[in-house]
Amino acid sequence: MRNDKSLHLWEEANKVLVGGVNSPVRAFKGVGGTPFFVVSGLGAHITDVDANVYTDYVLSWGPLVLGHAHPHVVSAVCRAMENGASFGIPTEGEIRLAERIRARIPSIKKVRLVNSGTEATMSAIRLARGYTGRDFIVKAEGCYHGHADTLLAKAGSGLATLGIPTCPGVPSMHAQHTLTMPFNDLDAAKELFSAHGDNIACLIIEPVAGNMGVVLPQPGYLKGLRALTARYGALLIFDEVMTGFRVALGGAQERYNVTPDLTTLGKVIGGGLPVGAYGGRADIMDHLAPLGPVYQAGTLAGNPLTTSAGLATLDILEQQGAFERAKAAMTTLSEGLGEIARETGVPVFQTQAGSMGCLFFHDGPVHNYTDAAKSDTARYATFFHGMLHRAVYFAPSQFEACFTSIAHDHGTIEKTLEAAREVFKELG
Ligand SMILES: *Cc1c(COP(=O)(O)O)cnc(C)c1O
């Protein structure tokens, strides 16, 4: 497999971009080696500058549930572009996307569109604080909610990959107001609330954690958090930036039948363009400017390119059988990898939620970040490079999710499993 053009670009990139990238998770620090440079994608595949074609299980870190360059999305965005990229004046697409979100996620009565998941969570936290008049927030260890100051404590994802426990540049004031607890430990949450409950504005959580690998909530955990926050008058925020339209069309809250006060979204609802959204109870959302005093704004928020890409994506995903197809692809992949691991005697722990999944190289269950961190990251790196060498691209870190799309057909996954069979022999 040739990579001289990628290597050349990597050298150039490092001269002008910090660490060669615009987001640290892209830098292969968790697996070693250097990233390739992509030129195009189509369906389940991406092509790099050296003309290598890979099967892609990262899908831009989640958004591309239809695969790359789906024709319906491409034509919708081209049409929108021809009409002008942005106005900063209301456009109909904003209403339609908000309606579609509300139709699928009934806990969301009103929506605010923003430009990234980070903006969505940061703004939802501000709103929760403004609404309750309280300062403290609670988050779970290993959950990633974007890179806002208050939310960077024990934040999984890239920080876990890079081994950054606390981030310099975050004022201690912010850290002091962020209380952390282990995921899946309701007693720990109860203790935090009994000590600080009257000062807690909100508890924010990924209902299915997707940024420490994929970790499922234990039975009753989310319902327990719902009851606990309600008892103390704190808001429950489900960060469904990753799980929205992935775990179920109505997100993890539909799958686990728990109603949060606020929900944050991103990724899939932008169809590959920059996006975020938050929404929830109308009485809370109405505290936002211009109706209320909690200020949050955005020059490009709800812009026509994003809303057209998002709507086109949801059009296709909501067609009969489409969501199930993306999910079935993950089931086939997951079962296949499980079988190969058993045959070769490599201990793994697997999780799946809709079209998200994870293969932990860990001998035993993974219920929280402490468990996830015990994974054999060196073995993951060997797996990653073995697969990459065979033209299959998984996330360059053990602590990330794997994604499938409606374009990952049976033949594609069979080829992936053939490659995995070879790689696991080397691991065993
Ligand atoms: C990706 C992600 C974010 C951050 O979204 P950006 O668009 O990268 O800012 C927040 N929360 C969760 C759960 C995510 O997966």
Side-chain angles (χ1 to χ4, degrees):
M1 192 175 264
R2 295 183 68 104
N3 69 343
D4 31 316
K5 286 187 180 147
S6 272
L7 282 177
H8 179 69
L9 288 177
W10 183 240
E11 262 175 44
E12 288 189 311
N14 277 283
K15 288 177 192 154
V16 68
L17 298 169
V18 179
V21 293
N22 281 306
S23 187
V25 293
R26 300 175 193 167
F28 279 28
K29 291 281 188 201
V31 290
T34 58
F36 57 89
F37 281 73
V38 73
V39 282
S40 66
L42 189 63
H45 297 97
I46 46 179
T47 303
D48 75 7
V49 288
D50 292 290
N52 301 304
V53 180
Y54 307 85
T55 302
D56 183 12
Y57 292 101
V58 183
L59 296 171
S60 188
W61 303 85
L64 303 179
V65 70
L66 307 183
H68 294 273
H70 190 284
H72 188 60
V73 179
V74 172
S75 64
V77 174
C78 288
R79 235 179 301 123
M81 188 69 201
E82 279 165 7
N83 289 330
S86 179
F87 304 100
I89 298 170
T91 53
E92 185 178 341
E94 299 165 71
I95 311 169
R96 303 297 167 232
L97 183 57
E99 285 174 343
R100 293 285 278 280
I101 290 169
R102 194 178 59 175
R104 282 293 171 189
I105 308 178
S107 72
I108 298 181
K109 304 296 185 215
K110 282 192 177 176
V111 180
R112 172 64 57 88
L113 297 175
V114 292
N115 299 303
S116 69
T118 294
E119 250 190 89
T121 56
M122 180 184 82
S123 309
I125 298 280
R126 180 183 303 145
L127 176 60
R129 285 173 162 160
Y131 175 81
T132 58
R134 302 171 177 181
D135 286 338
F136 281 80
I137 69 163
V138 176
K139 77 174 284 291
E141 290 162 21
C143 283
Y144 178 67
H145 304 292
H147 63 82
D149 280 350
T150 29
L151 290 165
L152 269 188
K154 301 185 180 171
S157 190
L159 292 101
T161 305
L162 296 170
I164 300 174
T166 52
C167 175
V170 175
S172 58
M173 178 191 72
H174 282 300
Q176 279 160 16
H177 284 136
T178 303
L179 307 169
T180 61
M181 60 180 191
F183 192 78
N184 267 330
D185 185 343
L186 192 55
D187 287 335
K190 284 179 179 162
E191 270 174 42
L192 272 185
F193 273 83
S194 73
H196 305 279
D198 295 340
N199 297 315
I200 295 173
C202 63
L203 184 157
I204 185 168
I205 195 158
E206 293 178 77
V208 170
N211 287 287
M212 44 174 147
V214 175
V215 180
L216 305 179
Q218 291 292 95
Y221 180 59
L222 297 174
K223 280 195 165 36
L225 295 180
R226 174 65 285 183
L228 183 65
T229 45
R231 204 171 109 214
Y232 284 92
L235 302 186
L236 179 64
I237 305 176
F238 276 180
D239 181 355
E240 301 231 39
V241 170
M242 187 185 289
T243 53
F245 298 90
R246 279 261 176 213
V247 168
L249 282 173
Q253 55 193 273
E254 174 186 292
R255 164 75 181 71
Y256 292 97
N257 192 25
V258 176
T259 306
D261 300 299
L262 295 174
T263 298
T264 56
L265 294 167
K267 299 196 168 116
V268 168
I269 62 159
L273 271 74
V275 78
Y278 60 109
R281 279 167 42 192
D283 65 315
I284 301 172
M285 292 301 288
D286 285 350
H287 278 63
L288 280 179
L291 293 185
V294 179
Y295 196 74
Q296 184 271 312
T299 302
L300 296 175
N303 83 82
L305 298 188
T306 296
T307 55
S308 65
L311 279 165
T313 297
L314 298 187
D315 279 348
I316 302 296
L317 191 62
E318 290 182 342
Q319 281 176 3
Q320 193 63 36
F323 177 86
E324 290 305 321
R325 212 152 71 237
K327 178 177 165 179
M330 182 54 75
T331 306
T332 308
L333 175 69
S334 193
E335 285 174 355
L337 289 174
E339 210 177 286
I340 294 165
R342 273 191 301 282
E343 281 167 16
T344 49
V346 175
V348 297
F349 183 75
Q350 292 180 283
T351 50
Q352 183 190 349
S355 54
M356 294 164 50
C358 188
L359 180 72
F360 288 103
F361 287 97
H362 178 55
D363 194 3
V366 176
H367 294 313
N368 54 39
Y369 180 67
T370 308
D371 294 341
K374 287 180 193 148
S375 300
D376 187 340
T377 52
R379 189 170 252 177
Y380 184 85
T382 307
F383 166 76
F384 169 84
H385 282 292
M387 294 305 286
L388 191 67
H389 186 70
R390 291 165 179 81
V392 182
Y393 180 53
F394 281 99
S397 166
Q398 171 74 88
F399 305 112
E400 302 288 353
C402 164
F403 299 98
T404 47
S405 75
I406 63 167
H408 286 71
D409 58 24
H410 204 74
T412 302
I413 293 179
E414 271 310 313
K415 272 195 199 146
T416 298
L417 293 175
E418 271 168 38
R421 233 166 249 124
E422 293 179 16
V423 172
F424 267 77
K425 276 188 198 132
E426 292 168 14
L427 294 177

